[in-house]
Structure formats: structure tokens, C-alpha cells
Amino acid sequence: MHAQTAAISLDLINRQYQEPNRNRYESRYFWEELYTLIAAAGFSAIEIPYEPVWQFGGRSGVPMNRYCVNTKYESAANYRAALRSRGIERVTGITFDPNLFMRNDNLGFYFGATGHFAGEALAHAADMGADYLAISPSPFYGRIAQYHPDIETTKADFTQRTIDLLTGLATKAAALGVTLVLRHEYWSLFGGERLLPLLDALPDTVKVDLDAANLFVAGIPAPEFFAAHGARIGCVHLTDTSFVDPGDVWKTPNPEFPSQHATQVFRDPGMGSVDLGQLVALLGAHDYQGPVTCSARQTRDPFRALLRTRALLNQLQK
């Protein structure tokens, strides 16, 4: 991989626990200034989380779904032109997380809403010219168990419905020229090694994400994961952490903020315990040519995170 081609994920901005305040965050000018700062930090490509919540209530300043983009820019083409004018040449990928839709005991609602908005996210990825849609195959395990305490006895049915959903999305993705990629968050019903049977049940066009921090927490060495699944890796996320799950956090309702541990899970790239240098060297040794995205989710200071990440990439490329 080359540092110059790595993208930065917009998940480094989160209104829940960092600046800016809500008025700024929901304003178009905040994001347009951010794009120039991203470019100044040496990134010419971005990844965008798809967040349907922003299309409700007219919060159209946040560029994280089709509604917001079309409201502010009239079309995806205009938005992409605005990005290019600020130094962002392309959107490499879109991510999708179904946690929002696990909100009651009605699985029909969950799978229906997830299918609808994941389809929207796929179409948005195609509009953006993105390589991939990286989808979390389930909500937090703890969030599922909160509304479905019998999940262990009904897991086979949940899994089959998930396979049906993802198979349908894979067909749509292929038609749109977008690669469907499965994320493997350690807190998922399909986290860690639990993802592999699901992956095997899906069409070969469905790929898998290599997320460094999530592998670390799950206790899976990245080189072993790459050796086993290198041919099916659809994207790589350079993420960092020092968190080790004692075995119970992944099953809690809010596993990114462990209630019994004075820590959060993720750290800015280079600030945790993941050997990202080893992973980058591995990608280079195998001439990996797919998308690589740096993610500083949970950062308290997104602007410092941009510079920290660029400094790390510069160091790794020496």
C-alpha cells in the first residue's frame, strides 16, 4: 500500500462526545472547511458512514446520506465536484451500521428497515463512485439481547434472515458495481471467528473487511487473518486500540464504552497497542491493491487525529 492512497473515514467526527456543537456540526460550512483540512493533512480520499438518522428532521448539513447530499447540493455529482474543489478526489467507500433499527422486539421491523436503508446506502455508494459498502452484519450483541433475550435459542433463525438479507444486497451491489464487504466488529453476533460461517454462506462476491483494532480485541492476529482470507478481503481499516475484552464486554448494550472499565475502546491510529507497522508491511509484501482506510473513531480531537494519522503513515512508509 502507499500512504498517498489511504483514505480517512469521516467517522472521526461524532457529535455525541466531541466538539463542534450541534449548530456547527449540522451546518454545511463546517463540513466544507473540514474537507480542506483533510486535504491539507495529506488525504485525497474519504470514507463516509451512512447514517439515516440525519434525513429525519431536516438536518441536511450532515453529508451522511442521499437525502442530505441532495438537499444541500442537488445531486451526488455536484457534491463530488464540491469535494474535488476542496482537494478530496474521491469517496472510496460507504459504511452502514444497523444498530438504529434494533429498537423493539419486532424482528420484522429490524430486517425491513435495515434492508431498505442498506439498499439506500448501496445506491449512495454507487452515486459517490465508491468501491465498497462495508456493512455491519448485526447490531451490538447486547443491543439484540436487550430486546430479544432469547437470542441464543433463536440465533439460527436470526442468522438465516441475515443471510437472506445480505444475499439480496449482494445482488444489488453487483448490479451497481459496488463491492459488498462484511465488517467484523468484536461486539457483533457475528464478531471475530463467528463471522466465518456467515461469510461462507454468502455469494463469493461478498468480501470481508480487515479491521486491525477489532481483530486485536477479538484476539485474532492480523497476519493469520490475512493468510486465511487474503483472497476475499474487500477493504482494510487501519484502526487502533489497547483494549482487551475479558470476555463480557462484547455482550453489553454499549460495548464501545465499557461500563466497568475506565477506558473507551478505540484510539487514534498509532496511539494504541496494535502493530500497524506489521500490517502495512504485510500488505506491501503481498502487493495488496485494495482500499485502505484510516479510522480514528472515538477520537476526542478530530483535527489532531488527522495530523497524528498522517504522521503515522509517513513513518510507516519510510
Side-chain angles (χ1 to χ4, degrees), residues 80-211:
R80 293 168 68 182
L83 289 176
R84 287 192 296 271
S85 72
R86 291 164 177 81
I88 306 299
E89 295 301 323
R90 64 191 303 262
V91 176
T92 58
I94 304 292
T95 63
F96 183 83
D97 178 348
N99 267 296
L100 175 66
F101 309 116
M102 180 55 65
R103 56 198 309 171
N104 55 44
D105 61 0
N106 185 344
L107 282 179
F109 171 82
Y110 165 75
F111 282 104
T114 298
H116 171 77
F117 286 105
E120 284 282 295
L122 265 176
H124 189 56
D127 290 345
M128 291 292 110
D131 296 322
Y132 63 86
L133 173 73
I135 185 171
S136 303
S138 91
F140 300 148
Y141 179 95
R143 190 170 178 88
I144 300 173
Q146 184 176 4
Y147 296 107
H148 303 275
D150 62 344
I151 184 59
E152 285 300 324
T153 60
T154 61
K155 185 161 54 176
D157 178 64
F158 191 98
T159 299
Q160 186 57 55
R161 295 181 75 170
T162 301
I163 291 171
D164 294 342
L165 170 67
L166 293 173
T167 299
L169 290 174
T171 301
K172 293 179 182 178
L176 291 169
V178 176
T179 300
L180 185 67
V181 178
L182 298 190
R183 306 197 77 173
H184 56 84
E185 294 101 338
Y186 75 94
W187 53 67
S188 169
L189 182 66
F190 308 104
E193 298 290 347
R194 300 183 302 278
L195 181 69
L196 302 183
L198 179 68
L199 185 64
D200 289 340
L202 294 171
D204 291 341
T205 56
V206 179
K207 306 301 182 182
V208 65
D209 181 21
L210 193 165
D211 185 300

Side-chain angles (χ1 to χ4, degrees), residues 17 30 42 46 103 119 126 190-191 195 220 268 304 306 315:
Y17 46 77
F30 167 78
I46 58 174
R103 56 198 309 171
F190 308 104
L195 181 69
I220 303 173
D268 293 359
R304 177 177 289 183
L306 278 173
Q315 180 182 7

Side-chain angles (χ1 to χ4, degrees), residues 51 184 278:
E51 298 182 355
H184 56 84
Q278 179 193 49

Side-chain angles (χ1 to χ4, degrees), residues 63-90:
M64 293 185 177
N65 60 58
R66 299 181 85 192
Y67 172 83
C68 295
V69 166
N70 290 336
T71 298
K72 285 297 183 182
Y73 296 93
E74 297 183 347
S75 69
N78 287 347
Y79 175 66
R80 293 168 68 182
L83 289 176
R84 287 192 296 271
S85 72
R86 291 164 177 81
I88 306 299
E89 295 301 323
R90 64 191 303 262

Side-chain angles (χ1 to χ4, degrees), residues 261-295:
H261 303 269
T263 184
Q264 63 190 58
V265 171
F266 297 101
R267 298 190 180 182
D268 293 359
M271 304 304 291
S273 301
V274 178
D275 192 342
L276 294 175
Q278 179 193 49
L279 176 55
V280 168
L282 181 70
L283 297 176
H286 288 81
D287 195 29
Y288 173 77
Q289 298 294 319
V292 176
T293 299
C294 301
S295 169

